[in-house]
């Protein structure tokens, strides 16, 4: 009986998502993603693919980056709360410098760097502290692009 109810609710939610506009989808995001992000600040672009990715972490060392580990591939200074994305995500979904993405269970991050072309469907979270980056490990997550809502009125 519990399985039947769960399946019925899931199908109902899917029906709503497929028929809804972005505003209705935003209201359902807390059910799909951890509600640690204030979704009222963000809206979904149209279309809005949810992409499964491998998530790891990196820090500003020459071994992990290049000869100037404090500058990103976009020629920006490194900073906490940002990510590097694999180039296939840039090409396939058009994600680029400054885009905001939500990693399920981890929060909202800004695209600030790009990865070596050998990586596919991968996101690296930047940490200044190498020990924190190492202890983060490797995780699987779903990622979607979000956009900051513009404030209306003055």
């Amino acid at each position: 009986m519990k399985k039947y109810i769960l399946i019925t609710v899931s199908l109902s939610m899917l029906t709503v998502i497929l028929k809804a506009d972005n505003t209705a989808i935003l209201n359902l995001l807390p059910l799909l993603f951890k509600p640690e992000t204030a979704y009222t600040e963000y809206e979904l672009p149209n279309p809005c693919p949810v992409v499964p990715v491998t998530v790891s972490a990196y820090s500003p060392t020459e071994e992990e980056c290049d000869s100037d580990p404090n500058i990103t591939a976009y020629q920006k200074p490194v900073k906490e709360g940002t990510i590097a994305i694999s180039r296939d995500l840039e090409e396939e979904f058009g994600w680029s410098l400054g885009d905001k993405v939500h990693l399920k269970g981890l929060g909202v991050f800004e695209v600030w760097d790009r990865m070596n072309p050998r990586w596919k469907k991968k996101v690296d979270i930047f940490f200044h502290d190498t020990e924190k980056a190492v202890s983060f490990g490797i995780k699987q997550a779903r990622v979607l692009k979000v956009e900051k809502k513009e404030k209306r009125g003055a």
Side-chain angles (χ1 to χ4, degrees), residues 26-56:
L26 273 178
N27 293 333
L28 293 173
L29 276 178
L31 300 173
L32 302 172
F33 290 95
K34 239 182 174 175
E36 73 275 359
T37 304
Y39 290 104
T40 55
E41 294 180 36
Y42 297 95
E43 60 188 3
L44 298 175
N46 196 6
C48 180
V50 177
V51 184
V53 294
T54 300
V55 183
S56 57

Side-chain angles (χ1 to χ4, degrees), residues 53-84:
V53 294
T54 300
V55 183
S56 57
Y58 73 111
S59 59
T61 63
E62 288 186 23
E63 296 80 24
E64 296 177 71
C65 301
D66 59 19
S67 60
D68 191 353
N70 291 306
I71 300 295
T72 71
Y74 289 118
Q75 300 305 303
K76 301 289 181 188
V78 296
K79 64 180 183 178
E80 293 270 347
T82 61
I83 58 171

Side-chain angles (χ1 to χ4, degrees), residues 32-34 36 102-107 140-143:
L32 302 172
F33 290 95
K34 239 182 174 175
E36 73 275 359
H102 180 265
L103 288 166
K104 181 185 183 229
L106 300 170
Q140 298 299 312
R142 293 181 299 179
V143 62

Side-chain angles (χ1 to χ4, degrees), residues 74-137:
Y74 289 118
Q75 300 305 303
K76 301 289 181 188
V78 296
K79 64 180 183 178
E80 293 270 347
T82 61
I83 58 171
I85 59 172
S86 57
R87 295 176 190 220
D88 63 322
L89 296 174
E90 289 179 321
E91 294 164 7
E92 190 173 344
F93 302 107
W95 298 352
S96 62
L97 174 68
D99 285 345
K100 300 271 194 277
V101 298
H102 180 265
L103 288 166
K104 181 185 183 229
L106 300 170
V108 174
F109 297 87
E110 185 175 1
V111 174
W112 203 247
D113 202 355
R114 65 197 315 215
M115 300 175 77
N116 186 294
R118 74 177 177 268
W119 299 111
K120 304 289 184 226
K121 300 284 188 275
K122 192 161 187 305
V123 172
D124 259 357
I125 299 174
F126 177 80
F127 288 90
H128 277 290
D129 185 326
T130 301
E131 285 183 30
K132 286 183 182 177
V134 170
S135 68
F136 178 84

